[in-house]
Structure formats: structure tokens, C-alpha cells
Amino acid sequence: MVFTAVQDAPLRNTGQIKLHSEEHFAGMRKAGQIAAGCLDMLTEHVKEGVTTEHLDNLAREYALDHGATPACIFYRGYRHTVCTSINHVVCHGIPAARALRPGDIVNIDVTVIVDGWHGDTSRMYAVPPVKRKAMRLMDLTYSAMQAGMEAARVGNHLGDIGASIQNMVEAERCSVVRDFCGHGVGRVFHDAPNILHFGRPGDGPALRAGMFFTIEPMVNLGKAAVGILPDGWTSVTRDRSLSAQYEHSVGITETGLEVFTKSPAGIDQPHKLAAVEG
Ligand code: MF3
Ligand code: CO
Ligand code: CO
């Protein structure tokens, strides 16, 4: 059996896809909105001279002030509330004393726990002026996530999500990172199934109402290959090309998709606020 009703499911990744009830949607809505509100709050703080450590402190305080627990602190030895992934960093960039500079593009990824439910989301921000090719990459990454969300509906399969993302990205001569994927989410942070951002239409399990997962494509301007820095976390493009990522936590409904981490302030694409160079 591939699916299990969530009330019967243990509080861990059993490898089975959990199907959630209406109350669980309410739990994810609350967690997702606090995670999204945290990213909204950070928008005006992303500017030249600000350190990623400072952004992490702001995110932690926001979470605690809103009755949420930062999910990443103590997660597999991680010590921060957010990941801050700048330029050629693909994901899992560690907040540090590094100050943001004009032209930097940065992904901020936050996960909070509210009443046991995980809200996991990330967006791209930029310090102006940004290069045209960087702006194009961030636009493409957001569109690719959206294409994945449009494919995430009853009647489709998991492979349709990955295929739609891969098609859009490769049509623009960019590449999809294959070493990291989206994941089931809920009371478990990283649950089954893996959500690959590439694949073939019709492959994999059928999508069913009550599934919760993230869609979080990482897109590189150059080749797909990534490496991990000696800190054990920071993932970078091997060719040092720019990389971008967007992430939403979503739930499948009978009629469509609920996006738990939609921006309450309407800042779903903060990267668009930055002026382009030249
Ligand atoms: N938020 C990341 C994700 O999208 C996970 C970060 S784990 C950490 O799944 F420990 F690096 F923070
Ligand atoms: Co995630
Ligand atoms: Co995340």
C-alpha cells in the first residue's frame, strides 16, 4: 500500500504518503502563513551592508514572537533559523558575518513549526542593481515553481510536476538541480514522497487529495552539478554559475491546490523589487 490515512500514521517518515484531513489543512495554513509572514518581514531588511546573520536573528525573533518554533535549529546539527544562499550557492547557505553587496541575489529559506505543523518556504531577494541574466534566472525559477504547482492536481502523477518544471527550465537553456528535491511535509519536516523537479509525465504515484508537500526547484544558469563545501552544508554550483530557488508548501484538494505559504503581504516575488543594471 502506497498511501496511509494520516490519523493512523506514525510521527515519522515511514516511506508511505500520508493523506491529510481538513483539520490538518488548517494546521498547515497557520504554520504556512507564519513562515510566509517571516519572509515578508525580511523583505525591507535585505539591502547592502546587512549580514545574513542579522537576517537570521530577525527571522528567529519573528518566529518566536508569533508562537512558532524554528524547525532548522538543532535539525541534523544545523544551528540557524534560515538558510541564506547567495549567488552560486544552491541551497543550505549558513547565515554568517557576510554583508550583502550590490548585485547579490539571495535565497532565504525558512521553516517554522506551529502546533506541530511545518511551514516551509523560500523566496529570492536581490540587492540592486542586479544583472539582467540574474533577474532572468530568478523570474524563470519562480515560473518553474508555478508550472510545478499547476501540474499538482488530482488526475496527474508526481512525474507531471517534475516534467513541467524541467521542460520550462531547459527551454531557457538553464538546468534543474537533481541532488535536492521537494518533500512531503506536515507534522514531519521531510516526509515521503520525494518531489523531484525533473521527470516524465505520468510517472510515479497518482496525486490524491490530502497530500502535503513542498515544490522547491533549484535552477542553475550553468550546469546542474553541485558540490558541498567543507562546512558540510553549503551546496554550490560546480561551475560557479548563479543558482536560484523558490519554495512553497502546498496541499492537494479535490478541486485544485492550496498554497499554504502564500505571502500575506503580496510579496511572493521579492526579487522583482530590485532594479536591473544598465
Ligand atoms: N528548508 C529546507 C527545505 O526546504 C531544509 C533546510 S534544513 C537545514 O527542505 F537544516 F539546512 F536548515
Ligand atoms: Co523544503
Ligand atoms: Co525550505
Side-chain angles (χ1 to χ4, degrees), residues 72-73 75-76 78 80-83 92 109-111 120-121 181 183 189-190 214 216 233 245 247:
C72 293
I73 300 180
Y75 180 78
R76 297 173 183 249
Y78 198 76
H80 304 272
T81 300
V82 292
C83 297
H92 302 162
D109 189 341
V110 67
T111 309
D120 184 7
T121 182
C181 55
H183 48 90
F189 187 177
H190 291 116
T214 71
E216 50 178 305
W233 282 104
Q245 180 178 26
E247 176 177 23

Side-chain angles (χ1 to χ4, degrees), residues 212-232:
F212 293 169
F213 51 80
T214 71
I215 300 179
E216 50 178 305
M218 284 140 275
V219 178
N220 299 347
L221 259 186
K223 297 220 160 71
V226 306
I228 307 277
L229 296 187
D231 61 30

